[in-house]
Amino acid sequence: MAVRPGLWPALLGIVLTAWLHGSGAQQSATVANPVPGANPDLLPHFLVEPEDVYIVKNKPVLLVCKATPATQIFFKCNGEWVRQVDHVIERSTDDSSGLPAMEVRINVSRQQVEKVFGLEEYWCQCVAWSSSGTTKSQKAYIRIAYLRKNFEQEPLAKEVSLEQGIVLPCRPPEGIPPAEVEWLRNEDLVDPSLDPNVYITREHSLVVRQARLADTANYTCVAKNIVARRRSASAAVIVYVNGGWSTWTEWSVCSASCGRGWQKRSRSCTNPAPLNGGAFCEGQNVQKTACATLCPVDGSWSPWSKWSACGLDCTHWRSRECSDPAPRNGGEECRGTDLDTRNCTSDLCVHTASGPEDVALYVGLVAVAVCLLLLLLVLILVYCRKKEGLDSDVADSSILTSGFQPVSIKPSKADNPHLLTIQPDLSTTTTTCQGSLCPRQDGPSPKFQLANGHLLSPLGGGRHTLHHSSPTSEAEDFVSRLSTQNYFRSLPRGTSNMTYGTFNFLGGRLMIPNTGISLLIPPDAIPRGKIYEIYLALHKPEDVRLPLAGCQTLLSPIVSCGPPGVLLTRPVILAMDHCGEPCPESWSLRLKKQSCEGSWEDVLHLGEEAPSHLYYCQLEAGACYVFTEQLGRFALVGEALSVAATKRLKLLLFAPVACTSLEYNIRVYCLHDTHDALQEVVQLEKQLGGQLIQEPRVLHFKDSYHNLRLSIHDVPSSLWKSKLLVSYQEIPFYHIWNGTQQYLHCTFTLERVSPSTSDLACKVWVWQVEGDGQSFNINFNITKDTRFAELLALESEGGVPALVGPSAFKIPFLIRQKIITSLDPPCSRGADWRTLAQKLHLDSHLSFFASKPSPTAMILNLWEARHFPNGNLSQLAAAVAGLGQPDAGLFTVSEAEC
């Protein structure tokens, strides 16, 4: 478009005037500047004004401006006029007003905008002229669009519980124009309008009001504008569910149909079940409690009443009642009749005077009765004579006539077949068998005459012993002879866990060294005139099938003493270790005994002993002492009544004495805390060439169904390398709790980096999940250090396996007899056996002691079993002397008497 030359000065003056007057106006508003006296209706007004635009990449943007009526339109950018040649002008007529209209377009490039970048924003504005004045359009800002790559804040992974709120923050990258934000759940768009549980904040954070399982997903924040679209890193949200207990089941039926037992109830972690790594329920899933069931009592008849007088019908009667005791608690009624009627004159009852024939009949009947009575007396005399021959049994008169000398180990002489050999054949034993415990072994038995020598003739000063260290062939022959009988077939085949000896009424003691197992045979326990060959054996649990029911566990070794069925007049005392922590509220302890047929029976329930029972038990912290009048096979079994019940485990660490390769093994044993279990492992490690590398520790293992874990830590990586591929090893709970598995252990294998490495420092942890634990700090030289081997040597006990006669007892025989004679009779001042029991802390067994013919003898026998061979006689003497007996010299004897 051409402008007449005469108009340019006027136009420039108008433009400058308009600009000066309009420079203070709002930048974005349209500003009119009319000419004085001109028609204001003819001022230009804009039909199209320039708008804000963004330059994307390198593409120029187009600004458009249209006004009517207008004679000229020019763009001004950042205060400078755009050259005329850069304008594209189109003229037209406005259809609505008929006035002339003008449309102007310009292009703005990225380079133009970048020239002023950082100083101010780039803007452009239209100025339109008419004959009535000028009008300015709003400013249009031109910006370079961009979107940076990195988010200022990305959402992070979270684990939340069910119904907990979730907030995922997101700050998008910087950009022009500002980025819009949207969220993706597993690549699906999150639309708050469709899910009222979700909304997006003004700060672009995603909020889940209450977490649901369906909200477990990968969440991604997406930012976009006209330039680009950016994705944040995905945030994994896991909605977990903590486990909840179901309601308790009903209590189970009491385990004992009669007496004290236990019952349990259970619950499961299913309300709800833990999901997505939620916590398992805390607490126990099983509860146990003691229960007691009334025992049914069967009715029993009272004694018959006296016969009534003979009636007119020649009968008389007697009666009885079902009241001794009467049936109760569902017991059975008495069987039989309560009335008995009989003819009172043997069918000869007449009510008239007897004739001569009747008198003859009566005389004949009396004669027959007398003959039968005489015949019965003859049979009784014959039986007694035969019994006297049998009661002599096996006896060596030299034992009594010499004041009890050591038993001879010589073979029997040919000219005197009645002398005792050291190993009488038990297949021909003549000992009496009690009840139906086992069948009597009949067979030919040589009879021996009992010497009449005095029992308390002066004894020699030496110790009369029967050594277990007899020739191996003799010991093996003894075991082989026993094993020919059915009951003895499970006896140990070796002799290391078995001892035996020959005993008479003077008693003695058997002991298996280093096991804590012994058998005390008190004086007069064996009837006078009898000699028994008695054995004591320790069994391995795998060799004897001991059935355990429910939560029962083996607490002691399985021990045999026999032969079973021999006649004993006093209880013997069997001592053995146990690994239970005695607590009446936590344990139900039972003594089991195996019958000759092989079945196991509960012969004693500890805490419910009857004083007159054949069995009784003194339970201490680490040992039990069983009084029994019947020999056999015994074991102590416990049943946990609560999770507080614990067993003591002995933890032992062994390693090779000599290491010839790069590998080095550390074996961690978990045993019952009993001497016999320790001895078995020590013998095994001697065969393997192992040595103890740490002082043994005790761990209390609870009945909580949790396993035992073992791990090794702090192994110096520069010297050693652990070959353990997992963080810990584990021994299942039931392998430990049932107590029948031997040698439970785990092995940690280490490898030396160099053959010259000899110093080892590390830690071994042993712990029960949610229970007790122990830590071993190992620091020693594997080639030189043997200091811990002495610990096992100190624990080994010596002594003779078999002691016979007075040498088996700490208390001299004569002193023992004087104490018994003095304390057995009741004393009004209390200076009797009851006070002695209190001083020895045995007053809880008074009822048991009182049921025996000599309570004092029972107390002294128990003292002997508990304190041999290291008992302090001075303390016992002080306890006896403190009873206040009037004759103080009663408990002292001369050296010659001893």
Side-chain angles (χ1 to χ4, degrees), residues 16 34 107 268 278 288 305 365 482 557 614 682 717 841 858:
L16 291 176
N107 287 319
S268 58
K288 298 179 185 176
S305 66
L365 291 175
L482 289 178
L614 288 174
V682 170
S717 57
H841 308 291
M858 292 296 103

Side-chain angles (χ1 to χ4, degrees), residues 610-871:
S612 59
H613 204 276
L614 288 174
Y615 307 93
Y616 199 82
C617 183
Q618 157 75 3
L619 187 70
E620 298 185 355
C624 59
Y625 301 91
V626 179
F627 292 80
T628 175
E629 297 180 23
Q630 291 184 351
L631 303 183
R633 184 169 298 152
F634 298 93
L636 183 65
V637 172
E639 186 169 12
L641 299 178
S642 69
V643 293
T646 59
K647 293 173 63 173
R648 296 188 315 276
L649 299 183
K650 179 82 80 173
L651 305 179
L652 301 171
L653 271 63
F654 282 90
V657 174
C659 184
T660 58
S661 64
L662 293 179
E663 286 190 354
Y664 190 75
N665 295 324
I666 298 177
R667 293 180 289 275
V668 184
Y669 289 88
C670 306
L671 320 169
H672 282 177
D673 186 18
T674 58
H675 286 85
D676 64 288
L678 175 63
Q679 184 67 11
E680 290 286 344
V681 170
V682 170
Q683 295 299 327
L684 175 65
E685 282 295 329
K686 284 183 179 179
Q687 299 175 7
L688 297 176
Q691 65 170 338
L692 189 68
I693 62 172
Q694 273 291 308
E695 184 175 354
R697 303 276 182 86
V698 173
L699 181 142
H700 292 84
F701 192 78
K702 296 193 300 184
D703 180 22
S704 61
Y705 301 98
H706 289 300
N707 298 338
L708 189 71
R709 291 181 177 176
L710 304 92
S711 60
I712 188 167
H713 305 273
D714 299 341
V715 179
S717 57
S718 60
L719 300 176
W720 297 86
K721 177 183 178 183
S722 174
K723 288 195 170 184
L724 186 64
L725 301 179
V726 292
S727 58
Y728 58 84
Q729 300 188 62
E730 200 164 52
I731 300 178
F733 168 81
Y734 288 103
H735 288 187
I736 298 175
W737 190 253
N738 63 17
T740 58
Q741 299 196 27
Q742 285 189 311
Y743 314 133
L744 284 175
H745 73 282
C746 288
T747 300
F748 295 99
T749 301
L750 304 178
E751 184 176 2
R752 291 186 287 180
V753 176
S754 169
S756 61
T757 301
S758 58
D759 291 325
L760 175 60
C762 62
K763 292 181 180 179
V764 173
W765 293 350
V766 184
W767 76 100
Q768 185 184 17
V769 180
E770 298 186 9
D772 191 19
Q774 290 288 358
S775 175
F776 294 87
N777 293 320
I778 300 175
N779 190 352
F780 77 115
N781 188 293
I782 66 174
T783 60
K784 301 177 182 179
D785 205 337
T786 59
R787 64 182 183 274
F788 295 104
E790 300 175 357
L791 295 175
L792 295 180
L794 292 176
E795 292 187 6
S796 63
E797 59 185 28
V800 179
L803 295 174
V804 180
S807 62
F809 304 96
K810 291 286 292 184
I811 307 172
F813 184 78
L814 293 181
I815 294 181
R816 171 189 171 90
Q817 293 303 108
K818 289 185 177 184
I819 296 175
I820 292 173
T821 305
S822 175
L823 298 185
D824 271 350
C827 180
S828 59
R829 294 178 303 157
D832 57 10
W833 63 269
R834 293 175 178 83
T835 308
L836 177 62
Q838 292 175 358
K839 286 181 174 291
L840 298 180
H841 308 291
L842 300 175
D843 45 324
S844 60
H845 308 304
L846 292 180
S847 58
F848 169 70
F849 296 146
S851 68
K852 300 305 176 184
S854 174
T856 309
M858 292 296 103
I859 296 173
L860 298 180
N861 293 344
L862 181 56
W863 187 92
E864 289 277 6
R866 296 170 66 192
H867 297 93
F868 188 88
N870 301 318

Side-chain angles (χ1 to χ4, degrees), residues 401-414:
T401 56
S402 63
F404 202 86
Q405 299 297 327
V407 178
S408 173
I409 312 182
K410 299 178 181 179
S412 59
K413 298 179 181 179

Side-chain angles (χ1 to χ4, degrees), residues 62-73:
L62 179 66
L63 298 180
V64 178
C65 188
K66 185 176 182 180
T68 184
T71 56
Q72 294 291 336
I73 298 177

Side-chain angles (χ1 to χ4, degrees), residues 42 45 47 67-70 91-102:
L42 296 179
H45 66 275
L47 301 177
T68 184
R91 297 182 182 275
S92 61
T93 302
D94 184 25
D95 295 335
S96 60
S97 63
L99 296 174
M102 180 179 290

